[in-house]
Amino acid sequence: MKITKREVEHVARLARLELTEEEKERFTRELNSILTYFDKLNELNTEDVEPTSHVIPIVNVFREDEVRPSYPREEVLSNAPEEEEAFFKVPRILE
Amino acid sequence: MELFRLTIHELHELLKKGEATATEIVGSVFERIEAVEGKIQAYVTITKEEALARAAGVDAAIKKGKGIRPLTGIPLAIKDVICTLGVRTTCSSLILENHVPIYDATVIHKLREEGAIFLGKANMDEFAMGSSTENSAFMKTKNPWDLGRVPGGSSGGSAAAVAADMCAGSFGSDTGGSVRQPAALCGVVGLKPTYGRVSRYGLVAFASSLDQIGPITKDVTDCAILMNAVAGYDPMDSTSAMVTLPDFTRALLPDVKGLRLGIPAEYFIEGMDPEVEAAIWEAIRLLEHLGANTEKISLPHTDYAIATYYLVATAEASSNLARYDGVKYGYRTKRSMDMLEMYQRTRREGFGAEVKRRIMLGTYALSAGYYEAYYLKAQKVRTLIRHDFEEAFKHCDVIITPTSPTAAFRFGEKTEDPLTMYLSDIFTISVNLAGIPAISIPCGFTKGGLPIGLQILGKPFNEEAILRVAYTYEQNTEWHKRKPNL
């Protein structure tokens, strides 16, 4: 087993995903099969190989720190599931 | 005349000669959409009123003497992963079902400036994750050549719309083949530009180090025309490249004499459909006949590309998709007691099965204890895959391969086991890992009448070489002129 059902539950918590019992079983099965396939990469010795995170040689990109208009607040809030008085509204966080 | 059948450059000629108006063109395409959309289901959203109003505006401007640019009055479909101001952009996901962007993606802004007209938003695999468009939360787009088969994916709606003449051209996005594979399966042209060639600003992110927007068109000339409109550095995308911008239409030369075509042994493998393989060799022989030289080359790490890709792409996706939390935009669950429950239920109800699977895989690959074994390992193998191409391009100008190991497959054929679907991307994903450009063009049909795609890969920022080979091939064949019976 590459990944147990308990680990699947742990990863789902990290990803903030609620899973049904059926999904937990299915993902355990499927992720095992996919992760076993990924073992293929261990055939390669990569000890002295630099990792690639990006294919083009751009390092840092800076721009002038100038004041520019941002999007109007009403427009930004127009897609919010819930808003109140110019704020995004979320469920209670503190008791 | 059936205006909807024409290519972008043919429509442009008619507009210039005053033989057609933008209103007539757009009207013709909508008649076509209304006639066949019921069968094909290419569009998530159709913006007929806006398109007709814009066409009237374009015609009025032409009357007043405004110049007709190559895309003036040209009707286009846009994959629903590219943000359009005021027009719903869903990524074919329930979590963005009612999302209306407050800004245009840079490519949309540029296309508007060029006078293009948007017909609507094209269906896709949810968040561009898939190879058949079956992962759309809304509908299954059909392959215009056989309604029992998939159009490919993830840009299935964009490719089917072009093949069925429901637009003059379209845009898709390509993270692991999502422009090229559906183009191949639908018998049209699809280009994935070099990473950094086209701005990703306003492209909803899947895997940021792999994503590129690319055109899907009826022929190679149209592909170059669309590239001219959208390519270039954009200060809004810090990964867009500050490099010299060619006029891509100048690469359209019907001549491959002396060009070196690399043929990688690793791309002619067991499991490939013999009809596909035969068509590719036939195409190579034709190019040789036209004066190109072939070189046997090797891309030794090809066999590791799928594992590498599905680690890099899912890791990046799990991070990018963290933003769908039910707070700032998108769907929020109706039943939650607290913040944590709100996040978890929103994501459970909003995401489909494949998106959840990839978030799980990516989160796992990045999690404590597994990061080095999976994600870092994949990034290192990615380096080896890049080096394979650097080495190969010392011996050739372009590389020729099939786009997909098979022609279009049936609905449900690869949905049971996620790995079988992943394996269908085998010929397209290395290109994204290496960041190089590649085009798919029609190169034949199976006995059953399904299109076959030829893939041409180029050096970074040398789209011109692949356009030239593609154009030469197209000028000497008739495949691109065949149309499905609908």
Side-chain angles (χ1 to χ4, degrees), chain A residues 2-3 7-20 23 26-27 30-31 33-35 37-56 58 61 68 71-72 75-82 88-93, chain B residues 98-100 102-103 195-196 201 209 238-240 301 303-304 306-308 310-311 326-330 332 338-340 342-345 347-348 353 356-357 359-361 363-364 367 370 374 376-377 379-384 386 418-419 422-423 433-435 461:
Chain A
K2 287 271 163 198
I3 181 169
E7 281 176 297
V8 164
E9 286 168 351
H10 171 66
V11 173
R13 259 193 309 279
L14 292 177
R16 298 288 183 265
L17 263 180
E18 188 178 87
L19 299 181
T20 62
E23 279 176 320
R26 187 157 48 88
F27 282 141
E30 289 173 348
L31 294 186
S33 133
I34 296 167
L35 292 169
Y37 176 76
F38 288 170
D39 273 348
K40 209 176 174 51
L41 297 184
N42 295 325
E43 293 167 12
L44 297 170
N45 181 353
T46 51
E47 220 168 288
D48 302 319
V49 180
E50 284 289 312
T52 295
S53 56
H54 230 271
V55 285
I56 46 176
I58 294 177
V61 180
R68 291 184 302 184
Y71 289 104
E75 284 183 27
V76 174
L77 286 167
S78 68
N79 276 304
E82 236 186 307
F88 293 110
K89 194 175 174 190
V90 296
R92 178 188 299 276
I93 294 171
Chain B
N98 300 310
H99 178 244
V100 180
I102 59 168
Y103 65 94
Y195 185 83
Y201 179 70
S209 80
S238 54
T239 62
S240 72
H301 296 94
D303 209 19
Y304 303 96
I306 288 182
T308 305
Y310 278 95
L311 279 164
V327 174
K328 301 175 294 300
Y329 47 80
R332 176 189 291 186
D338 59 36
M339 197 69 179
L340 186 62
M342 191 279 279
Y343 289 147
Q344 292 179 330
R345 288 221 169 126
R347 290 161 66 80
R348 166 184 176 168
K356 286 179 190 167
R357 188 177 298 122
I359 290 174
M360 290 291 292
L361 198 51
T363 306
Y364 179 74
S367 66
Y370 298 102
Y374 289 108
L376 190 64
K377 180 81 186 180
Q379 286 189 310
K380 288 180 167 189
V381 181
R382 185 175 183 183
T383 304
L384 298 176
R386 275 175 55 206
L419 253 180
Y422 297 174
L423 293 172
L433 290 168
F461 299 106

Side-chain angles (χ1 to χ4, degrees), chain B residues 32 111 146 231 322 333 358 368 380 418 469:
Chain B
R32 175 66 170 177
L111 292 166
D146 179 345
T333 183
R358 295 203 193 185
K380 288 180 167 189
V469 176

Side-chain angles (χ1 to χ4, degrees), chain B residues 62-116:
Chain B
I62 292 174
K63 239 183 193 161
K64 278 191 204 147
K66 190 162 189 261
I68 301 176
R69 302 187 48 83
L71 291 183
T72 303
I74 300 297
L76 302 177
I78 304 295
K79 185 179 185 180
D80 211 15
V81 68
I82 300 173
C83 286
T84 41
L85 170 66
V87 174
R88 194 166 79 115
T89 299
T90 70
C91 294
S92 288
S93 178
L94 292 175
I95 214 157
L96 289 177
E97 190 172 7
N98 300 310
H99 178 244
V100 180
I102 59 168
Y103 65 94
D104 270 333
T106 295
V107 295
I108 298 298
H109 175 73
K110 287 186 168 192
L111 292 166
R112 272 191 218 283
E113 297 273 295
E114 292 295 316

Side-chain angles (χ1 to χ4, degrees), chain B residues 54-369:
Chain B
R54 191 151 151 82
V58 166
D59 285 330
I62 292 174
K63 239 183 193 161
K64 278 191 204 147
K66 190 162 189 261
I68 301 176
R69 302 187 48 83
L71 291 183
T72 303
I74 300 297
L76 302 177
I78 304 295
K79 185 179 185 180
D80 211 15
V81 68
I82 300 173
C83 286
T84 41
L85 170 66
V87 174
R88 194 166 79 115
T89 299
T90 70
C91 294
S92 288
S93 178
L94 292 175
I95 214 157
L96 289 177
E97 190 172 7
N98 300 310
H99 178 244
V100 180
I102 59 168
Y103 65 94
D104 270 333
T106 295
V107 295
I108 298 298
H109 175 73
K110 287 186 168 192
L111 292 166
R112 272 191 218 283
E113 297 273 295
E114 292 295 316
I117 294 172
F118 304 118
L119 302 165
K121 307 300 291 286
N123 195 30
M124 53 187 279
D125 283 300
E126 184 178 3
F127 284 104
M129 297 178 186
S131 314
S132 68
T133 312
E134 289 168 288
N135 294 331
S136 165
F138 305 128
M139 60 217 206
K140 287 193 179 13
T141 300
K142 317 298 184 300
N143 190 309
W145 294 91
D146 179 345
L147 301 178
R149 291 176 190 269
V150 303
S154 66
S155 311
S158 299
V162 174
D165 292 315
M166 298 159 78
C167 59
S170 69
F171 279 90
S173 63
D174 191 316
T175 304
S178 284
V179 160
R180 291 159 287 151
Q181 185 257 17
L185 270 45
C186 289
V188 292
V189 174
L191 174 77
K192 187 209 84 89
T194 310
Y195 185 83
R197 181 61 106 179
V198 176
S199 168
R200 293 184 297 112
Y201 179 70
L203 170 68
V204 178
F206 160 14
S208 307
S209 80
L210 303 162
D211 298 340
Q212 265 291 287
I213 292 172
I216 300 178
T217 54
K218 297 179 185 180
D219 68 11
V220 177
T221 302
D222 282 3
C223 182
I225 292 169
L226 288 184
M227 278 303 290
N228 272 356
V230 298
Y233 171 73
D234 176 14
M236 298 300 277
D237 172 6
S238 54
T239 62
S240 72
M242 232 185 257
V243 290
T244 326
L245 203 55
D247 173 352
F248 293 100
T249 61
R250 296 190 66 169
L252 303 174
L253 303 169
D255 177 19
V256 289
K257 275 184 213 75
L259 273 180
R260 297 169 304 165
L261 316 177
I263 316 294
E266 294 83 359
Y267 280 64
F268 294 86
I269 48 159
E270 254 179 79
M272 176 153 50
D273 181 337
E275 287 188 276
V276 171
E277 184 166 359
I280 303 305
W281 283 114
E282 188 84 8
I284 293 169
R285 276 193 293 274
L286 174 61
L287 289 166
E288 277 182 316
H289 172 73
L290 294 168
N293 303 318
T294 49
E295 306 274 340
K296 281 186 192 159
I297 56 158
S298 176
L299 297 165
H301 296 94
T302 300
D303 209 19
Y304 303 96
I306 288 182
T308 305
Y309 173 83
Y310 278 95
L311 279 164
V312 171
T314 58
E316 292 184 17
S318 72
S319 163
N320 275 325
L321 270 63
R323 72 190 66 176
Y324 303 103
D325 58 1
V327 174
K328 301 175 294 300
Y329 47 80
Y331 172 83
R332 176 189 291 186
T333 183
K334 304 287 171 289
R335 33 179 209 105
S336 64
M337 300 302 289
D338 59 36
M339 197 69 179
L340 186 62
E341 198 176 66
M342 191 279 279
Y343 289 147
Q344 292 179 330
R345 288 221 169 126
T346 291
R347 290 161 66 80
R348 166 184 176 168
E349 294 164 15
F351 290 136
E354 181 60 25
V355 174
K356 286 179 190 167
R357 188 177 298 122
R358 295 203 193 185
I359 290 174
M360 290 291 292
L361 198 51
T363 306
Y364 179 74
L366 290 176
S367 66

